[in-house]
Amino acid sequence: MNRVLRNGTIDRIAVTLSGLCLVHCVATVVLLGLVSSVASWLGNPLIHEIGLGLATGLGAIALVGGAMNHRSILPTAIGFLGLGFMASALIVPHGGREALLTIIGVSLLAGAHWLNRKAHGPGNQAH
């Protein structure tokens, strides 16, 4: 597990999931305006709850584990701030505020994972 943290595998997976979440949020907003039947499926609260669960789990493993290895708390702090924005999006009504909170949260979380990979050293610089 320690090797997986050091080589950045979990951070790469988490950044990929953050990107997918970002695409999901933007697509939902666009599709809500274009095709309400497809957009309502993408806007299902269960998708958001599962996504937050995955983000929290990967964030805890990668960011906390990374902080323990490289001793930099910044990626973890930024990541948890991002998770806070994502969690707050679950308690507001669907719409513009929810999408904005989620997009801010996902962007912060992806940035935190990028910083976490970078903090592991030269062999794991994020590209």
Side-chain angles (χ1 to χ4, degrees), residues 7-81:
N7 73 16
T9 300
I10 294 175
D11 287 310
R12 280 189 224 106
I13 292 168
V15 168
T16 300
L17 286 175
S18 293
L20 290 173
C21 182
L22 186 61
V23 168
H24 162 81
C25 290
V26 172
T28 299
V29 171
V30 169
L31 289 175
L32 276 171
L34 299 175
V35 184
S36 63
S37 63
V38 173
S40 66
W41 178 80
L42 287 174
N44 186 334
L46 184 60
I47 291 174
H48 298 121
E49 293 163 6
I50 291 170
L52 181 61
L54 287 171
T56 302
L58 289 172
I61 292 168
L63 297 173
V64 173
M68 292 171 64
N69 284 326
H70 53 64
R71 305 285 187 228
S72 176
I73 195 73
L74 184 63
T76 304
I78 292 171
F80 284 162
L81 179 63

Side-chain angles (χ1 to χ4, degrees), residues 52 56 77-91 101 105 108:
L52 181 61
T56 302
I78 292 171
F80 284 162
L81 179 63
L83 287 171
F85 273 96
M86 291 169 65
S88 67
L90 292 177
I91 60 173
L101 289 168
L108 286 168

